mmCIF file of all heavy atoms in Angstrom:
data_model
loop_
_atom_site.group_PDB
_atom_site.id
_atom_site.type_symbol
_atom_site.label_atom_id
_atom_site.label_comp_id
_atom_site.label_asym_id
_atom_site.label_seq_id
_atom_site.Cartn_x
_atom_site.Cartn_y
_atom_site.Cartn_z
ATOM 1 N N MET A 1386 -9.723 -21.503 -10.105
ATOM 2 C CA MET A 1386 -8.381 -22.062 -10.009
ATOM 3 C C MET A 1386 -7.599 -21.948 -11.323
ATOM 4 O O MET A 1386 -6.390 -21.769 -11.305
ATOM 5 C CB MET A 1386 -8.445 -23.526 -9.565
ATOM 6 C CG MET A 1386 -7.097 -24.072 -9.157
ATOM 7 S SD MET A 1386 -7.168 -25.774 -8.597
ATOM 8 C CE MET A 1386 -8.211 -25.639 -7.177
ATOM 9 N N PHE A 1387 -8.286 -22.015 -12.442
ATOM 10 C CA PHE A 1387 -7.586 -21.981 -13.731
ATOM 11 C C PHE A 1387 -6.996 -20.607 -14.060
ATOM 12 O O PHE A 1387 -6.176 -20.486 -14.966
ATOM 13 C CB PHE A 1387 -8.516 -22.454 -14.854
ATOM 14 C CG PHE A 1387 -9.702 -21.576 -15.080
ATOM 15 C CD1 PHE A 1387 -9.704 -20.608 -16.065
ATOM 16 C CD2 PHE A 1387 -10.848 -21.714 -14.287
ATOM 17 C CE1 PHE A 1387 -10.806 -19.798 -16.270
ATOM 18 C CE2 PHE A 1387 -11.958 -20.914 -14.487
ATOM 19 C CZ PHE A 1387 -11.928 -19.943 -15.483
ATOM 20 N N ILE A 1388 -7.384 -19.558 -13.340
ATOM 21 C CA ILE A 1388 -6.805 -18.225 -13.579
ATOM 22 C C ILE A 1388 -6.142 -17.664 -12.322
ATOM 23 O O ILE A 1388 -5.813 -16.477 -12.264
ATOM 24 C CB ILE A 1388 -7.858 -17.221 -14.098
ATOM 25 C CG1 ILE A 1388 -9.004 -17.053 -13.104
ATOM 26 C CG2 ILE A 1388 -8.346 -17.592 -15.475
ATOM 27 C CD1 ILE A 1388 -9.890 -15.853 -13.390
ATOM 28 N N ASP A 1389 -5.903 -18.512 -11.305
ATOM 29 C CA ASP A 1389 -5.371 -18.035 -10.036
ATOM 30 C C ASP A 1389 -4.016 -17.335 -10.180
ATOM 31 O O ASP A 1389 -3.750 -16.345 -9.521
ATOM 32 C CB ASP A 1389 -5.298 -19.155 -9.007
ATOM 33 C CG ASP A 1389 -4.420 -20.319 -9.432
ATOM 34 O OD1 ASP A 1389 -3.884 -20.303 -10.566
ATOM 35 O OD2 ASP A 1389 -4.283 -21.256 -8.633
ATOM 36 N N HIS A 1390 -3.162 -17.826 -11.066
ATOM 37 C CA HIS A 1390 -1.844 -17.218 -11.272
ATOM 38 C C HIS A 1390 -1.977 -15.810 -11.842
ATOM 39 O O HIS A 1390 -1.204 -14.929 -11.506
ATOM 40 C CB HIS A 1390 -0.979 -18.097 -12.178
ATOM 41 C CG HIS A 1390 -1.640 -18.443 -13.470
ATOM 42 N ND1 HIS A 1390 -2.640 -19.400 -13.548
ATOM 43 C CD2 HIS A 1390 -1.482 -17.949 -14.715
ATOM 44 C CE1 HIS A 1390 -3.046 -19.482 -14.808
ATOM 45 N NE2 HIS A 1390 -2.364 -18.613 -15.520
ATOM 46 N N TRP A 1391 -2.971 -15.589 -12.700
ATOM 47 C CA TRP A 1391 -3.219 -14.250 -13.250
ATOM 48 C C TRP A 1391 -3.737 -13.317 -12.161
ATOM 49 O O TRP A 1391 -3.354 -12.145 -12.110
ATOM 50 C CB TRP A 1391 -4.204 -14.309 -14.419
ATOM 51 C CG TRP A 1391 -3.580 -14.869 -15.656
ATOM 52 C CD1 TRP A 1391 -3.743 -16.114 -16.170
ATOM 53 C CD2 TRP A 1391 -2.664 -14.204 -16.527
ATOM 54 N NE1 TRP A 1391 -2.983 -16.272 -17.298
ATOM 55 C CE2 TRP A 1391 -2.312 -15.106 -17.550
ATOM 56 C CE3 TRP A 1391 -2.092 -12.929 -16.542
ATOM 57 C CZ2 TRP A 1391 -1.427 -14.780 -18.561
ATOM 58 C CZ3 TRP A 1391 -1.212 -12.602 -17.563
ATOM 59 C CH2 TRP A 1391 -0.887 -13.520 -18.548
ATOM 60 N N ILE A 1392 -4.602 -13.828 -11.286
ATOM 61 C CA ILE A 1392 -5.115 -13.015 -10.188
ATOM 62 C C ILE A 1392 -3.976 -12.602 -9.265
ATOM 63 O O ILE A 1392 -3.867 -11.438 -8.871
ATOM 64 C CB ILE A 1392 -6.231 -13.766 -9.419
ATOM 65 C CG1 ILE A 1392 -7.459 -13.925 -10.320
ATOM 66 C CG2 ILE A 1392 -6.599 -13.041 -8.130
ATOM 67 C CD1 ILE A 1392 -8.529 -14.838 -9.765
ATOM 68 N N ALA A 1393 -3.106 -13.558 -8.917
ATOM 69 C CA ALA A 1393 -1.957 -13.244 -8.071
ATOM 70 C C ALA A 1393 -1.068 -12.199 -8.730
ATOM 71 O O ALA A 1393 -0.648 -11.223 -8.093
ATOM 72 C CB ALA A 1393 -1.151 -14.513 -7.783
ATOM 73 N N PHE A 1394 -0.790 -12.376 -10.005
ATOM 74 C CA PHE A 1394 0.039 -11.437 -10.758
ATOM 75 C C PHE A 1394 -0.582 -10.041 -10.762
ATOM 76 O O PHE A 1394 0.086 -9.041 -10.482
ATOM 77 C CB PHE A 1394 0.223 -11.952 -12.187
ATOM 78 C CG PHE A 1394 0.835 -10.958 -13.130
ATOM 79 C CD1 PHE A 1394 2.167 -10.612 -13.020
ATOM 80 C CD2 PHE A 1394 0.080 -10.383 -14.140
ATOM 81 C CE1 PHE A 1394 2.739 -9.696 -13.897
ATOM 82 C CE2 PHE A 1394 0.638 -9.475 -15.019
ATOM 83 C CZ PHE A 1394 1.976 -9.129 -14.897
ATOM 84 N N ILE A 1395 -1.865 -9.954 -11.057
ATOM 85 C CA ILE A 1395 -2.545 -8.658 -11.139
ATOM 86 C C ILE A 1395 -2.609 -7.980 -9.770
ATOM 87 O O ILE A 1395 -2.295 -6.783 -9.647
ATOM 88 C CB ILE A 1395 -3.949 -8.817 -11.767
ATOM 89 C CG1 ILE A 1395 -3.798 -9.168 -13.252
ATOM 90 C CG2 ILE A 1395 -4.794 -7.566 -11.585
ATOM 91 C CD1 ILE A 1395 -5.090 -9.649 -13.916
ATOM 92 N N LEU A 1396 -3.001 -8.729 -8.737
ATOM 93 C CA LEU A 1396 -3.098 -8.120 -7.402
ATOM 94 C C LEU A 1396 -1.740 -7.631 -6.900
ATOM 95 O O LEU A 1396 -1.611 -6.495 -6.434
ATOM 96 C CB LEU A 1396 -3.705 -9.105 -6.403
ATOM 97 C CG LEU A 1396 -5.189 -9.382 -6.536
ATOM 98 C CD1 LEU A 1396 -5.629 -10.467 -5.563
ATOM 99 C CD2 LEU A 1396 -6.005 -8.117 -6.307
ATOM 100 N N LEU A 1397 -0.723 -8.487 -6.990
ATOM 101 C CA LEU A 1397 0.610 -8.073 -6.542
ATOM 102 C C LEU A 1397 1.123 -6.899 -7.374
ATOM 103 O O LEU A 1397 1.717 -5.958 -6.836
ATOM 104 C CB LEU A 1397 1.586 -9.244 -6.602
ATOM 105 C CG LEU A 1397 1.383 -10.327 -5.547
ATOM 106 C CD1 LEU A 1397 2.222 -11.551 -5.871
ATOM 107 C CD2 LEU A 1397 1.717 -9.808 -4.164
ATOM 108 N N GLY A 1398 0.893 -6.959 -8.675
ATOM 109 C CA GLY A 1398 1.335 -5.871 -9.551
ATOM 110 C C GLY A 1398 0.657 -4.551 -9.230
ATOM 111 O O GLY A 1398 1.314 -3.507 -9.120
ATOM 112 N N LEU A 1399 -0.658 -4.579 -9.065
ATOM 113 C CA LEU A 1399 -1.395 -3.340 -8.755
ATOM 114 C C LEU A 1399 -0.984 -2.759 -7.407
ATOM 115 O O LEU A 1399 -0.789 -1.542 -7.283
ATOM 116 C CB LEU A 1399 -2.904 -3.594 -8.788
ATOM 117 C CG LEU A 1399 -3.510 -3.826 -10.166
ATOM 118 C CD1 LEU A 1399 -4.990 -4.204 -10.041
ATOM 119 C CD2 LEU A 1399 -3.348 -2.594 -11.044
ATOM 120 N N ILE A 1400 -0.861 -3.615 -6.416
ATOM 121 C CA ILE A 1400 -0.451 -3.137 -5.091
ATOM 122 C C ILE A 1400 0.958 -2.541 -5.166
ATOM 123 O O ILE A 1400 1.221 -1.459 -4.642
ATOM 124 C CB ILE A 1400 -0.507 -4.278 -4.056
ATOM 125 C CG1 ILE A 1400 -1.959 -4.709 -3.832
ATOM 126 C CG2 ILE A 1400 0.131 -3.846 -2.740
ATOM 127 C CD1 ILE A 1400 -2.100 -6.035 -3.102
ATOM 128 N N GLY A 1401 1.864 -3.250 -5.815
ATOM 129 C CA GLY A 1401 3.242 -2.765 -5.944
ATOM 130 C C GLY A 1401 3.342 -1.470 -6.712
ATOM 131 O O GLY A 1401 4.041 -0.537 -6.301
ATOM 132 N N ILE A 1402 2.630 -1.383 -7.830
ATOM 133 C CA ILE A 1402 2.657 -0.149 -8.639
ATOM 134 C C ILE A 1402 2.080 1.018 -7.845
ATOM 135 O O ILE A 1402 2.608 2.138 -7.890
ATOM 136 C CB ILE A 1402 1.919 -0.363 -9.974
ATOM 137 C CG1 ILE A 1402 2.760 -1.278 -10.873
ATOM 138 C CG2 ILE A 1402 1.619 0.961 -10.665
ATOM 139 C CD1 ILE A 1402 2.034 -1.807 -12.089
ATOM 140 N N ASN A 1403 1.025 0.771 -7.090
ATOM 141 C CA ASN A 1403 0.441 1.830 -6.269
ATOM 142 C C ASN A 1403 1.431 2.314 -5.207
ATOM 143 O O ASN A 1403 1.550 3.517 -4.965
ATOM 144 C CB ASN A 1403 -0.860 1.354 -5.611
ATOM 145 C CG ASN A 1403 -1.575 2.482 -4.934
ATOM 146 O OD1 ASN A 1403 -1.810 3.526 -5.523
ATOM 147 N ND2 ASN A 1403 -1.915 2.282 -3.678
ATOM 148 N N MET A 1404 2.168 1.387 -4.603
ATOM 149 C CA MET A 1404 3.175 1.783 -3.611
ATOM 150 C C MET A 1404 4.292 2.603 -4.260
ATOM 151 O O MET A 1404 4.746 3.594 -3.689
ATOM 152 C CB MET A 1404 3.765 0.549 -2.921
ATOM 153 C CG MET A 1404 2.820 -0.099 -1.934
ATOM 154 S SD MET A 1404 3.501 -1.610 -1.187
ATOM 155 C CE MET A 1404 4.805 -0.926 -0.163
ATOM 156 N N ILE A 1405 4.707 2.208 -5.453
ATOM 157 C CA ILE A 1405 5.747 2.951 -6.168
ATOM 158 C C ILE A 1405 5.243 4.353 -6.507
ATOM 159 O O ILE A 1405 5.944 5.355 -6.320
ATOM 160 C CB ILE A 1405 6.191 2.191 -7.436
ATOM 161 C CG1 ILE A 1405 6.920 0.904 -7.037
ATOM 162 C CG2 ILE A 1405 7.065 3.074 -8.328
ATOM 163 C CD1 ILE A 1405 7.143 -0.067 -8.194
ATOM 164 N N ARG A 1406 3.984 4.431 -6.982
ATOM 165 C CA ARG A 1406 3.385 5.729 -7.325
ATOM 166 C C ARG A 1406 3.339 6.645 -6.103
ATOM 167 O O ARG A 1406 3.697 7.816 -6.177
ATOM 168 C CB ARG A 1406 1.994 5.518 -7.911
ATOM 169 C CG ARG A 1406 1.309 6.785 -8.389
ATOM 170 C CD ARG A 1406 -0.114 6.536 -8.853
ATOM 171 N NE ARG A 1406 -0.953 5.846 -7.897
ATOM 172 C CZ ARG A 1406 -1.496 6.399 -6.808
ATOM 173 N NH1 ARG A 1406 -1.279 7.646 -6.538
ATOM 174 N NH2 ARG A 1406 -2.250 5.685 -5.997
ATOM 175 N N GLU A 1407 2.897 6.105 -4.970
ATOM 176 C CA GLU A 1407 2.832 6.894 -3.742
ATOM 177 C C GLU A 1407 4.221 7.355 -3.305
ATOM 178 O O GLU A 1407 4.382 8.473 -2.825
ATOM 179 C CB GLU A 1407 2.178 6.093 -2.617
ATOM 180 C CG GLU A 1407 0.687 5.941 -2.777
ATOM 181 C CD GLU A 1407 0.072 5.056 -1.695
ATOM 182 O OE1 GLU A 1407 0.788 4.638 -0.760
ATOM 183 O OE2 GLU A 1407 -1.134 4.783 -1.803
ATOM 184 N N ALA A 1408 5.219 6.503 -3.473
ATOM 185 C CA ALA A 1408 6.579 6.849 -3.082
ATOM 186 C C ALA A 1408 7.132 7.983 -3.933
ATOM 187 O O ALA A 1408 7.907 8.808 -3.447
ATOM 188 C CB ALA A 1408 7.494 5.634 -3.186
ATOM 189 N N MET A 1409 6.706 8.045 -5.189
ATOM 190 C CA MET A 1409 7.231 9.065 -6.097
ATOM 191 C C MET A 1409 6.434 10.364 -6.016
ATOM 192 O O MET A 1409 6.866 11.371 -6.549
ATOM 193 C CB MET A 1409 7.266 8.521 -7.515
ATOM 194 C CG MET A 1409 8.187 7.311 -7.619
ATOM 195 S SD MET A 1409 8.238 6.609 -9.244
ATOM 196 C CE MET A 1409 9.569 7.566 -9.922
ATOM 197 N N GLY A 1410 5.290 10.334 -5.344
ATOM 198 C CA GLY A 1410 4.474 11.535 -5.190
ATOM 199 C C GLY A 1410 5.119 12.504 -4.226
ATOM 200 O O GLY A 1410 5.871 12.135 -3.337
ATOM 201 N N LYS A 1411 4.819 13.763 -4.399
ATOM 202 C CA LYS A 1411 5.413 14.800 -3.558
ATOM 203 C C LYS A 1411 4.500 15.202 -2.404
ATOM 204 O O LYS A 1411 4.798 16.115 -1.668
ATOM 205 C CB LYS A 1411 5.715 16.050 -4.411
ATOM 206 C CG LYS A 1411 6.652 15.783 -5.559
ATOM 207 C CD LYS A 1411 8.005 15.328 -5.082
ATOM 208 C CE LYS A 1411 8.921 15.075 -6.257
ATOM 209 N NZ LYS A 1411 9.887 14.053 -6.019
ATOM 210 N N GLU A 1412 3.391 14.480 -2.266
ATOM 211 C CA GLU A 1412 2.420 14.788 -1.232
ATOM 212 C C GLU A 1412 2.986 14.488 0.156
ATOM 213 O O GLU A 1412 3.467 13.402 0.418
ATOM 214 C CB GLU A 1412 1.181 13.910 -1.463
ATOM 215 C CG GLU A 1412 -0.106 14.537 -1.070
ATOM 216 C CD GLU A 1412 -1.257 13.662 -1.514
ATOM 217 O OE1 GLU A 1412 -1.603 13.727 -2.703
ATOM 218 O OE2 GLU A 1412 -1.767 12.917 -0.665
ATOM 219 N N GLU A 1413 2.931 15.461 1.041
ATOM 220 C CA GLU A 1413 3.431 15.286 2.399
ATOM 221 C C GLU A 1413 2.272 14.923 3.320
ATOM 222 O O GLU A 1413 1.244 15.568 3.317
ATOM 223 C CB GLU A 1413 4.096 16.582 2.877
ATOM 224 C CG GLU A 1413 5.043 16.421 4.031
ATOM 225 C CD GLU A 1413 6.175 15.459 3.777
ATOM 226 O OE1 GLU A 1413 6.720 15.429 2.665
ATOM 227 O OE2 GLU A 1413 6.511 14.700 4.706
ATOM 228 N N GLU A 1414 2.458 13.872 4.099
ATOM 229 C CA GLU A 1414 1.409 13.421 5.001
ATOM 230 C C GLU A 1414 1.576 14.063 6.368
ATOM 231 O O GLU A 1414 2.672 14.155 6.893
ATOM 232 C CB GLU A 1414 1.479 11.896 5.163
ATOM 233 C CG GLU A 1414 1.184 11.137 3.910
ATOM 234 C CD GLU A 1414 1.347 9.638 4.109
ATOM 235 O OE1 GLU A 1414 1.011 9.140 5.200
ATOM 236 O OE2 GLU A 1414 1.812 8.997 3.172
ATOM 237 N N LYS A 1415 0.451 14.474 6.944
ATOM 238 C CA LYS A 1415 0.434 14.968 8.318
ATOM 239 C C LYS A 1415 0.126 13.787 9.223
ATOM 240 O O LYS A 1415 -0.834 13.069 8.988
ATOM 241 C CB LYS A 1415 -0.651 16.041 8.490
ATOM 242 C CG LYS A 1415 -0.312 17.342 7.816
ATOM 243 C CD LYS A 1415 0.507 18.170 8.750
ATOM 244 C CE LYS A 1415 0.644 19.567 8.166
ATOM 245 N NZ LYS A 1415 1.629 20.346 8.821
ATOM 246 N N VAL A 1416 0.930 13.595 10.242
ATOM 247 C CA VAL A 1416 0.723 12.477 11.150
ATOM 248 C C VAL A 1416 0.619 13.015 12.571
ATOM 249 O O VAL A 1416 1.450 13.804 13.015
ATOM 250 C CB VAL A 1416 1.870 11.444 11.041
ATOM 251 C CG1 VAL A 1416 1.684 10.322 12.033
ATOM 252 C CG2 VAL A 1416 1.950 10.903 9.627
ATOM 253 N N ASP A 1417 -0.407 12.571 13.273
ATOM 254 C CA ASP A 1417 -0.649 12.930 14.663
ATOM 255 C C ASP A 1417 0.401 12.252 15.544
ATOM 256 O O ASP A 1417 0.762 11.101 15.325
ATOM 257 C CB ASP A 1417 -2.059 12.448 15.025
ATOM 258 C CG ASP A 1417 -2.545 12.965 16.349
ATOM 259 O OD1 ASP A 1417 -1.718 13.245 17.231
ATOM 260 O OD2 ASP A 1417 -3.773 13.084 16.506
ATOM 261 N N ALA A 1418 0.871 12.937 16.568
ATOM 262 C CA ALA A 1418 1.882 12.382 17.470
ATOM 263 C C ALA A 1418 1.301 11.342 18.430
ATOM 264 O O ALA A 1418 2.048 10.620 19.078
ATOM 265 C CB ALA A 1418 2.552 13.505 18.261
ATOM 266 N N SER A 1419 -0.009 11.223 18.503
ATOM 267 C CA SER A 1419 -0.651 10.301 19.434
ATOM 268 C C SER A 1419 -0.449 8.845 19.000
ATOM 269 O O SER A 1419 -0.469 8.527 17.819
ATOM 270 C CB SER A 1419 -2.147 10.599 19.511
ATOM 271 O OG SER A 1419 -2.817 9.585 20.219
ATOM 272 N N PHE A 1420 -0.306 7.981 19.987
ATOM 273 C CA PHE A 1420 -0.241 6.547 19.751
ATOM 274 C C PHE A 1420 -1.490 5.861 20.309
ATOM 275 O O PHE A 1420 -1.507 4.658 20.524
ATOM 276 C CB PHE A 1420 1.027 5.945 20.376
ATOM 277 C CG PHE A 1420 2.257 6.158 19.531
ATOM 278 C CD1 PHE A 1420 2.910 7.373 19.526
ATOM 279 C CD2 PHE A 1420 2.755 5.144 18.736
ATOM 280 C CE1 PHE A 1420 4.039 7.577 18.752
ATOM 281 C CE2 PHE A 1420 3.880 5.336 17.951
ATOM 282 C CZ PHE A 1420 4.522 6.557 17.956
ATOM 283 N N GLY A 1421 -2.551 6.646 20.531
ATOM 284 C CA GLY A 1421 -3.803 6.121 21.053
ATOM 285 C C GLY A 1421 -4.594 5.394 19.986
ATOM 286 O O GLY A 1421 -4.349 5.548 18.783
ATOM 287 N N PRO A 1422 -5.583 4.600 20.406
ATOM 288 C CA PRO A 1422 -6.375 3.800 19.459
ATOM 289 C C PRO A 1422 -7.105 4.628 18.385
ATOM 290 O O PRO A 1422 -7.225 4.165 17.263
ATOM 291 C CB PRO A 1422 -7.398 3.079 20.347
ATOM 292 C CG PRO A 1422 -6.839 3.134 21.719
ATOM 293 C CD PRO A 1422 -5.955 4.330 21.797
ATOM 294 N N LYS A 1423 -7.562 5.820 18.720
ATOM 295 C CA LYS A 1423 -8.271 6.651 17.734
ATOM 296 C C LYS A 1423 -7.380 7.017 16.553
ATOM 297 O O LYS A 1423 -7.867 7.224 15.451
ATOM 298 C CB LYS A 1423 -8.794 7.934 18.382
ATOM 299 C CG LYS A 1423 -10.046 7.759 19.164
ATOM 300 C CD LYS A 1423 -10.540 9.110 19.638
ATOM 301 C CE LYS A 1423 -11.882 8.978 20.313
ATOM 302 N NZ LYS A 1423 -12.370 10.275 20.782
ATOM 303 N N VAL A 1424 -6.092 7.111 16.795
ATOM 304 C CA VAL A 1424 -5.146 7.457 15.734
ATOM 305 C C VAL A 1424 -4.554 6.193 15.104
ATOM 306 O O VAL A 1424 -4.471 6.073 13.880
ATOM 307 C CB VAL A 1424 -4.018 8.363 16.288
ATOM 308 C CG1 VAL A 1424 -2.938 8.595 15.240
ATOM 309 C CG2 VAL A 1424 -4.598 9.679 16.770
ATOM 310 N N MET A 1425 -4.160 5.242 15.930
ATOM 311 C CA MET A 1425 -3.450 4.068 15.437
ATOM 312 C C MET A 1425 -4.349 3.091 14.683
ATOM 313 O O MET A 1425 -3.915 2.508 13.681
ATOM 314 C CB MET A 1425 -2.755 3.340 16.600
ATOM 315 C CG MET A 1425 -1.638 4.136 17.249
ATOM 316 S SD MET A 1425 -0.308 4.595 16.116
ATOM 317 C CE MET A 1425 0.404 3.002 15.748
#
């Protein structure tokens, strides 16, 4: 509990930075047109 605010800060920061990094990447994702359970 005494470091919970640091854990929240680090987790949110890492997740957010990773999303920003992925958004800036030029990698194109291939997505299957299926909406079945094996794909979804």
